[in-house]
Amino acid sequence: DVKVTQSSRYLVKRTGEKVFLECVQDMDHENMFWYRQDPGLGLRLIYFSYDVKMKEKGDIPEGYSVSREKKERFSLILESASTNQTSMYLCASSFKGLAGIWQETQYFGPGTRLLVL
Amino acid sequence: GQSLEQPSEVTAVEGAIVQINCTYQTSGFYGLSWYQQHDGGAPTFLSYNALDGLEETGRFSSFLSRSDSYGYLLLQELQMKDSASYFCAVSGSNDYKLSFGAGTTVTVRA
């Protein structure tokens, strides 16, 4: 079974703190993604990476950065946390390849619920 | 960009059939996927359609009409464990990204 793990299930931080969210996958997937999930808005893509040291902005990258130093690990960084970044953060991974079911099936971690006070 | 529309809520009784529609607008299109997410859990992949027609996987089926930019997920013989949120997602280009709808919360009543 594919396993995607995230460093914390729940996190409480103060405004202005630097926050690190880590994600590890064990399936040797090339692609990794960070989403945030808010009620009524679905999943919105923050950043993704299709290879080590590669990163691409998603739909809502402002206020976030990412790091991918190893294939299995993808970190999301909130440089200076703000209350509007209170959300559920989901990491996902997938195979790289020709378009099709294998490439488009994403495997998600359990999520980190972040509260910024 | 991509936009997807799906109903926000559906309620049905055990044993019933539920259809969740998804309409999309994309600049390109590779396929339509469906994900299930139980409360407090991770989204999990259910089905994928790249070509027109119906794909059946047990009690769940998914349909796609590319010409209508429309698809649906059909849940048959509903069970209490099917109470969850269901998301449609499209890939608009060969860049591995998915754009998700806002999700449909399905509530199954006894």
Side-chain angles (χ1 to χ4, degrees):
Chain A
D1 274 356
V2 176
K3 195 163 185 184
V4 180
T5 57
Q6 295 183 228
S7 48
S8 307
R9 288 303 304 270
Y10 301 95
L11 212 51
V12 180
K13 295 292 181 180
R14 297 269 176 208
T15 302
E17 280 192 79
K18 192 168 186 175
V19 181
F20 293 87
L21 303 181
E22 293 211 316
C23 174
V24 178
Q25 50 93 5
D26 67 357
M27 271 297 289
D28 204 32
H29 285 167
E30 292 86 358
N31 304 326
M32 296 189 75
F33 309 83
W34 275 107
Y35 296 90
R36 63 177 284 175
Q37 183 175 23
D38 301 289
L41 295 178
L43 282 73
R44 293 180 293 165
L45 183 64
I46 305 171
Y47 267 96
F48 70 104
S49 168
Y50 53 87
D51 207 345
V52 175
K53 296 197 184 293
M54 304 298 288
K55 59 185 178 183
E56 295 283 341
K57 291 180 180 179
D59 301 317
I60 51 165
E62 295 78 19
Y64 303 94
S65 62
V66 290
S67 172
R68 185 131 181 237
E69 295 297 317
K70 293 185 177 182
K71 189 176 185 179
E72 68 271 18
R73 189 178 298 268
F74 193 34
S75 301
L76 179 70
I77 303 150
L78 286 66
E79 297 290 343
S80 177
S82 63
T83 54
N84 63 13
Q85 292 178 310
T86 290
S87 186
M88 169 69 87
Y89 289 88
L90 289 162
C91 174
S93 68
S94 70
F95 286 109
K96 185 177 181 177
L98 296 176
I101 187 170
W102 298 115
Q103 181 214 41
E104 298 191 22
T105 301
Q106 293 191 7
Y107 298 86
F108 284 83
T112 296
R113 191 169 291 281
L114 173 67
L115 173 63
V116 182
L117 299 174
Chain B
Q2 271 81 284
S3 71
L4 297 92
E5 286 194 18
Q6 55 181 123
S8 58
E9 294 181 33
V10 173
T11 300
V13 297
E14 272 187 299
I17 298 173
V18 159
Q19 179 172 315
I20 303 171
N21 299 321
C22 175
T23 56
Y24 58 87
Q25 288 184 311
T26 61
S27 51
F29 182 82
Y30 272 76
L32 179 69
S33 303
W34 290 91
Y35 286 77
Q36 179 193 58
Q37 185 181 30
H38 286 101
D39 200 25
T44 56
F45 172 81
L46 283 179
S47 68
Y48 173 77
N49 295 69
L51 302 175
D52 287 357
L54 192 68
E55 295 281 343
E56 297 180 75
T57 309
R59 294 185 297 112
F60 294 177
S61 304
S62 57
F63 171 83
L64 175 66
S65 169
R66 293 173 68 117
S67 60
D68 295 323
S69 298
Y70 162 77
Y72 66 72
L73 179 70
L74 194 69
L75 315 180
Q76 301 180 78
E77 300 171 24
L78 273 179
Q79 301 176 9
M80 298 297 287
K81 66 179 181 179
D82 298 329
S83 291
S85 292
Y86 294 84
F87 296 89
C88 58
V90 295
S91 54
S93 58
N94 191 24
D95 63 359
Y96 319 114
K97 293 193 302 182
L98 292 178
S99 294
F100 285 83
T104 299
T105 300
V106 172
T107 302
V108 181
R109 295 185 287 112

mmCIF file of all heavy atoms in Angstrom, chain B residues 1-3 25-27 99:
data_model
loop_
_atom_site.group_PDB
_atom_site.id
_atom_site.type_symbol
_atom_site.label_atom_id
_atom_site.label_comp_id
_atom_site.label_asym_id
_atom_site.label_seq_id
_atom_site.Cartn_x
_atom_site.Cartn_y
_atom_site.Cartn_z
ATOM 1 N N GLY B 1 -7.709 28.964 -16.851
ATOM 2 C CA GLY B 1 -7.808 28.191 -15.638
ATOM 3 C C GLY B 1 -8.921 27.179 -15.729
ATOM 4 O O GLY B 1 -9.573 27.018 -16.755
ATOM 5 N N GLN B 2 -9.091 26.481 -14.620
ATOM 6 C CA GLN B 2 -10.123 25.446 -14.556
ATOM 7 C C GLN B 2 -11.197 25.842 -13.557
ATOM 8 O O GLN B 2 -10.885 26.435 -12.520
ATOM 9 C CB GLN B 2 -9.497 24.124 -14.087
ATOM 10 C CG GLN B 2 -8.968 23.258 -15.193
ATOM 11 C CD GLN B 2 -7.610 23.678 -15.666
ATOM 12 O OE1 GLN B 2 -7.462 24.655 -16.374
ATOM 13 N NE2 GLN B 2 -6.600 22.944 -15.271
ATOM 14 N N SER B 3 -12.460 25.509 -13.843
ATOM 15 C CA SER B 3 -13.513 25.650 -12.846
ATOM 16 C C SER B 3 -14.406 24.428 -12.920
ATOM 17 O O SER B 3 -14.664 23.912 -14.007
ATOM 18 C CB SER B 3 -14.314 26.932 -13.047
ATOM 19 O OG SER B 3 -15.115 26.849 -14.188
ATOM 20 N N GLN B 25 -15.070 23.542 -16.730
ATOM 21 C CA GLN B 25 -14.558 24.398 -17.795
ATOM 22 C C GLN B 25 -13.050 24.393 -17.672
ATOM 23 O O GLN B 25 -12.511 24.748 -16.616
ATOM 24 C CB GLN B 25 -15.079 25.830 -17.643
ATOM 25 C CG GLN B 25 -16.547 25.999 -17.981
ATOM 26 C CD GLN B 25 -16.969 27.461 -17.909
ATOM 27 O OE1 GLN B 25 -16.699 28.152 -16.941
ATOM 28 N NE2 GLN B 25 -17.639 27.934 -18.949
ATOM 29 N N THR B 26 -12.385 23.937 -18.701
ATOM 30 C CA THR B 26 -10.929 23.851 -18.654
ATOM 31 C C THR B 26 -10.349 24.335 -19.965
ATOM 32 O O THR B 26 -10.991 24.257 -21.010
ATOM 33 C CB THR B 26 -10.459 22.407 -18.418
ATOM 34 O OG1 THR B 26 -10.910 21.591 -19.510
ATOM 35 C CG2 THR B 26 -11.000 21.843 -17.135
ATOM 36 N N SER B 27 -9.118 24.771 -19.898
ATOM 37 C CA SER B 27 -8.432 25.206 -21.112
ATOM 38 C C SER B 27 -7.926 24.012 -21.903
ATOM 39 O O SER B 27 -7.674 24.106 -23.085
ATOM 40 C CB SER B 27 -7.288 26.143 -20.753
ATOM 41 O OG SER B 27 -6.487 25.562 -19.757
ATOM 42 N N SER B 99 -7.279 19.911 -10.724
ATOM 43 C CA SER B 99 -8.114 20.967 -10.158
ATOM 44 C C SER B 99 -9.355 20.305 -9.601
ATOM 45 O O SER B 99 -10.024 19.535 -10.297
ATOM 46 C CB SER B 99 -8.499 21.987 -11.236
ATOM 47 O OG SER B 99 -7.372 22.677 -11.691
#
